[in-house]
Amino acid sequence: MRLILDIALTHIAGRGRQSLVAIIGVAVGVGFSIAMAALMQGGQDDFVEQLIDTMPHVQITDEQRAARRQPAEAAFDVAEISGLRPRDDRRGIINPAAANAWLDAWVPGRFSQSLRTQGVVRYQGREAGASIIGIEPETERAISPIVGDFTQGGFSTLNEGGNNIVMGDRMAGKLGARLGDTVTAVSSSGLTRNFRITGLFHTGTTARDEGEAYMLLKNAQIVSERPNAVNDIRVKLDDPYAARDAAGRIEAELGYKAVSWQEANEAIMQAFVVRNVIMYAVVAAILLVAGFGIFNIVSTITHEKARDIAIMKSLGFSRSDMQRMFVIEGLAIGAAGSVAGWALGFALTYALASITFELDAGGQEMTELPIAWSAAHYAIASLFALGSAAVAGYLPARKAARLNPVDIIRGAT
Amino acid sequence: MTALLAARELTRVLPETVPVTLVKDVSLEIGAKQFVAITGPSGSGKSSLLYLLGLLDRPTGGTILVEGRDTAPMSDADLARTRLSMIGFVFQFHFLLPEFSARQNVEIPMRKMGKLSPRAMRQRADDLLASLGLAGHREKRPDQLSGGQRQRVAVARALANDPPIVLADEPTGSLDSKSSEQVFDILRTLVSERGKTVIAVTHDLDMAARMDRRVHLVDGMLAEAQD
C-alpha cells in the first residue's frame, strides 16, 4: 500500500504545475464553500437568536385550536344540532391564578401574564389606534424584549402613583404628546380613562413603536371592563429549544392554545431548510467543477504513464492495484486542495467577520456580518471535495486498469 | 516430474473485424534451469507467445501451467501474484520507472511482495546491482544510465523476488554489440549460476545458437523444435 501511495505521489509531483492548478481549483471551491456556509449559517443563527430574544418562547392565548364542540356532540357519535344559539363565553383565560400557580410549579424559566385589548389613545383631538396591553411590570421586565428600548422612563414607572401609561415614541409623535402629558385611553367597550405618559420606547419595529401602549394589568382590566381577565401568558424558557415540548404540555394541561416560537415561525424555519438545500447544491456544483480539474490531470497521467502501467502489471501489480493507484492520485489532490481550502476558507471567513458597516442613516448603529464558525462547514466542504475527487480519479483509473499491458508494450517496441 | 512451465494447445486470436491469429496450438514444456530461445521471423508470434507464457496476456484457447498449476481459471489478482513470485520480465527497452533510482526500481517488486524488511530489501537490491556491475550506479535514475546499464538494472529488477523463470523479449535488441554480449552473458549466468530458467525471444540466430534449446515459430505455429 505504501508502495502504491509512493508511486501515486511521484506521478502527481511529475505533473507539478497541472497538479497545482487542480489543487488550487479544489482549494478555491472548498474555501468559498466554507465562507459561504459561515455567512449563511451566521445569518440564520443571528435571525433565530433575534427570534428567541424578541419573541416569547411559548405564548398562551385564550384561544382554542378547534372550536369547542357541543357536549352532545362529544357524547354521541351521531348527533346533529341545528338552530343553535350558543351563549357568549366569557373571553380570557379562565382562572388565571390557578394557571399561574401551575406554571410556576414546573416551568424552567420565567413567564408573565397580560391582557391584550384593542383601543384608541386620544390626545388633543388626535387619535391613534393602539393595542393596549395590561402588564405587571415586575414579571414583564423579565420577558419583554422592549425593556432595553426605553428612551425615557421604563416599565417600573407604571407603578408610580396615579394612572400611568408607556407607549412607543412614534405613537406619541403621532399624537403630539410628550413625556408627562395626559392622554385618554378608550377601550373597545367605550370606557375612557386618563393616563399620564411616564415612558417612551423605540424598538425600531414600526408596528410596535406606533401601535403599542402598556399600562398596569388592573388598569387595563378596568378600562376594558374585564375584571381579573388575562388573555395572554408569555413564557421565556431557560432552554429556548425546549419550547415545543413545553408548549405541548401546557396546551394539554390548560386547554388553551400554546404556541412555541418554532411553530409561530414555521414558514421561516422551512425557508431556512430550502436555503440550506440551495446552498449545499451550490457547494456541490462548485466542487463538481473542481472535480473536472482532477479528472483532467488523472486522465492525463494515465495516458502519459501508460507504459509504466504496463511495466507495473508485468512486475506483478494487479488491475485493482492500478485502479487504486489512480484513485489515490485523485484523492491526494482532493485532500491537498481541502487542506489549502480550509486555510482559504478560514481567511475569507475572518475577512468577512471583520467587515463592519453602518446600517442606520444616522450612523449610530454599526453592524457586522453575522458569521458562524463551525467545524462542520469544513468537514462538509472536504467531504464534497473528496467525494468529487474520488469519482474524478475513479473514472480514468478504471480505464487505465483495463488497459492490456501487451498492447502498450507492443506499441512501444 | 511436472514441468516448470507448460503450454497446452495455446492459441491467441485478436478479436479484430478480421480475426488475427497470433499464436496457434502451441504446446511445449520447459523445465528448470533451461536457457530457451524463441526464434522466428518477425510477425511469427514470438513475443505473443512470451507474453502468454508470462501470464501478461490471456490465451483465447488452451492453457498454461506453472509448476503444474492451471492458470486458466485464475483471477486477475491471482495471475498478478503468480507473476510477482514466479516470473521476471526483461523487455527490449529497459522499461524502468523513470522517476525512481536504480535501487528503487529494483526494490519495487520486493515492496509489492512485502515479505522482506525495508533493510533487507535495500540490501538485496544493492547486492543484485553489485552482482551486475552496477554498484556505483545505485542512486542514479534511468535517464542517467547508459542503455546497457539500464538493461542490467532491468535484469536486477526481474530477479528481485528470486523468481524461477525469467522472460526476456529481445533483451539485446536495442543495444550495441558490446552491451549485447554483456547482457547475454548475464542471462547465461542466470541459468548456470542462479539456476533460473531463461526464455528469450530473439531474432539473432547466432545468439540463439548459443542457447540450450530453440523454439522456432512460423506463423504462430511451432516449427521444428530443436533441443
Side-chain angles (χ1 to χ4, degrees), chain B:
Chain B
M1 196 184 121
T2 51
L4 181 60
L5 196 59
R8 298 270 157 82
E9 286 162 13
L10 215 51
T11 299
R12 176 73 168 100
V13 180
L14 281 184
E16 311 277 318
T17 38
V18 182
V20 182
T21 304
L22 299 172
V23 176
K24 195 167 189 301
D25 289 336
V26 171
S27 295
L28 53 84
E29 292 199 348
I30 295 167
K33 300 180 194 173
Q34 288 195 8
F35 196 15
V36 183
I38 299 178
T39 59
S42 51
S44 60
K46 309 183 291 282
S47 296
S48 300
L49 177 61
L50 192 79
Y51 299 142
L52 288 170
L53 292 174
L55 308 178
L56 208 51
D57 198 7
R58 277 184 189 265
T60 42
T63 185
I64 294 159
L65 292 91
V66 179
E67 287 185 323
R69 268 176 298 137
D70 189 359
T71 59
M74 285 188 181
S75 70
D76 179 70
D78 288 336
L79 289 179
R81 249 192 301 282
T82 310
R83 280 200 298 276
L84 186 63
S85 58
M86 298 293 293
I87 297 163
F89 271 101
V90 179
F91 296 98
Q92 177 175 2
F93 297 101
H94 61 89
F95 277 4
L96 300 173
L97 296 185
E99 296 92 350
F100 295 91
S101 70
R103 176 197 279 140
Q104 286 172 321
N105 263 289
V106 177
E107 280 177 339
I108 283 171
M110 293 189 261
R111 291 179 64 184
K112 177 67 190 142
M113 185 90 123
K115 283 212 175 120
L116 299 176
S117 70
R119 261 185 81 131
M121 286 185 207
R122 194 188 162 96
Q123 186 60 48
R124 179 164 170 78
D126 287 352
D127 289 349
L128 279 169
L129 288 169
S131 72
L132 294 169
L134 293 166
H137 305 286
R138 292 188 293 232
E139 308 290 348
K140 289 187 182 168
R141 293 195 319 182
D143 56 7
Q144 297 166 312
L145 297 169
S146 72
Q149 289 169 334
R150 286 180 208 165
Q151 204 58 310
R152 279 181 279 154
V153 176
V155 172
R157 184 179 64 183
L159 296 173
N161 285 326
D162 202 17
I165 304 163
V166 173
L167 301 180
D169 186 8
E170 305 266 12
T172 61
S174 61
L175 300 178
D176 58 41
S177 56
K178 186 163 164 269
S179 299
S180 290
E181 205 52 46
Q182 222 174 10
V183 170
F184 180 80
D185 287 342
I186 287 167
L187 291 178
R188 187 156 54 195
T189 55
L190 293 186
V191 180
S192 59
E193 287 170 22
R194 292 179 193 259
K196 307 287 180 203
T197 285
V198 175
I199 306 171
V201 164
T202 179
H203 59 263
D204 184 341
L205 295 176
D206 191 41
M207 192 173 278
R210 288 190 280 151
M211 289 156 77
D212 301 345
R213 178 183 166 188
R214 283 148 295 280
V215 173
H216 193 66
L217 283 183
V218 176
D219 291 338
M221 285 182 287
L222 224 49
E224 81 277 26
Q226 310 123 347
D227 286 298

Side-chain angles (χ1 to χ4, degrees), chain A residues 147-211:
Chain A
V147 174
D149 294 327
F150 276 94
T151 52
Q152 282 167 302
F155 279 133
S156 54
T157 60
L158 295 177
N159 280 334
E160 292 167 3
N163 291 337
N164 299 331
I165 191 168
V166 298
M167 61 173 68
D169 59 349
R170 279 170 176 271
M171 186 192 288
K174 234 162 68 171
L175 294 170
R178 293 202 203 156
L179 194 73
D181 290 341
T182 299
V183 296
T184 307
V186 187
S187 78
S188 52
S189 59
L191 209 70
T192 62
R193 195 150 289 220
N194 289 340
F195 292 91
R196 194 165 61 88
I197 300 174
T198 57
L200 293 172
F201 57 82
H202 176 81
T203 61
T205 309
T206 311
R208 273 219 155 106
D209 295 342
E210 214 170 72

Side-chain angles (χ1 to χ4, degrees), chain A residues 1 45 126 174 236 240 250 253 261 269 288 291 355 390:
Chain A
M1 204 61 218
D45 289 354
R126 284 185 283 265
K174 234 162 68 171
K236 283 269 188 196
I250 290 168
E253 171 71 22
W261 64 272
M269 294 304 179
L288 191 70
I355 295 175

Side-chain angles (χ1 to χ4, degrees), chain A residues 53-56 59 110-116 133-148 150 154-156 158-159 166 201 208 212-217 230 232-236:
Chain A
D53 276 358
T54 53
M55 292 202 48
Q59 183 162 27
R110 312 164 301 282
F111 62 94
S112 175
Q113 54 177 357
S114 59
L115 177 65
R116 184 177 280 268
I133 303 160
I135 56 153
E136 289 164 333
E138 302 76 28
T139 54
E140 185 71 14
R141 263 209 303 274
I143 64 122
S144 174
I146 66 172
V147 174
F150 276 94
F155 279 133
S156 54
L158 295 177
N159 280 334
V166 298
F201 57 82
R208 273 219 155 106
E212 284 190 352
Y214 292 84
M215 60 180 64
L216 286 181
L217 179 60
V230 163
D232 190 25
I233 302 175
R234 284 154 299 146
V235 182
K236 283 269 188 196

Side-chain angles (χ1 to χ4, degrees), chain A residues 38-55 57 205 236 240-241 261-262 264-273 275-276 367-372:
Chain A
L39 196 57
M40 295 197 59
Q41 179 80 50
Q44 182 176 333
D45 289 354
D46 188 55
F47 191 87
V48 170
E49 205 174 295
Q50 278 184 21
L51 273 186
I52 291 172
D53 276 358
T54 53
M55 292 202 48
H57 299 157
T205 309
K236 283 269 188 196
Y241 291 91
W261 64 272
Q262 291 107 317
N265 296 287
E266 208 139 33
I268 294 169
M269 294 304 179
Q270 273 167 6
F272 279 137
V273 172
R275 222 173 67 141
N276 284 338
T367 305
E368 292 176 351
L369 286 172
I371 296 290

Side-chain angles (χ1 to χ4, degrees), chain A residues 23-41 278-290 337-352 355 371-372 374 377-378 380-382 384-385:
Chain A
I23 289 171
I24 291 172
V26 176
V28 169
V30 169
F32 277 91
S33 302
I34 289 170
M36 188 168 74
L39 196 57
M40 295 197 59
Q41 179 80 50
I278 293 171
M279 178 181 79
Y280 284 113
V282 171
V283 168
I286 293 173
L287 291 167
L288 191 70
V289 173
S338 278
V339 173
W342 289 347
L344 180 65
F346 185 85
L348 280 173
T349 315
Y350 189 82
L352 285 173
I355 295 175
I371 296 290
S374 166
H377 298 153
Y378 292 72
I380 289 170
S382 288
F384 272 115

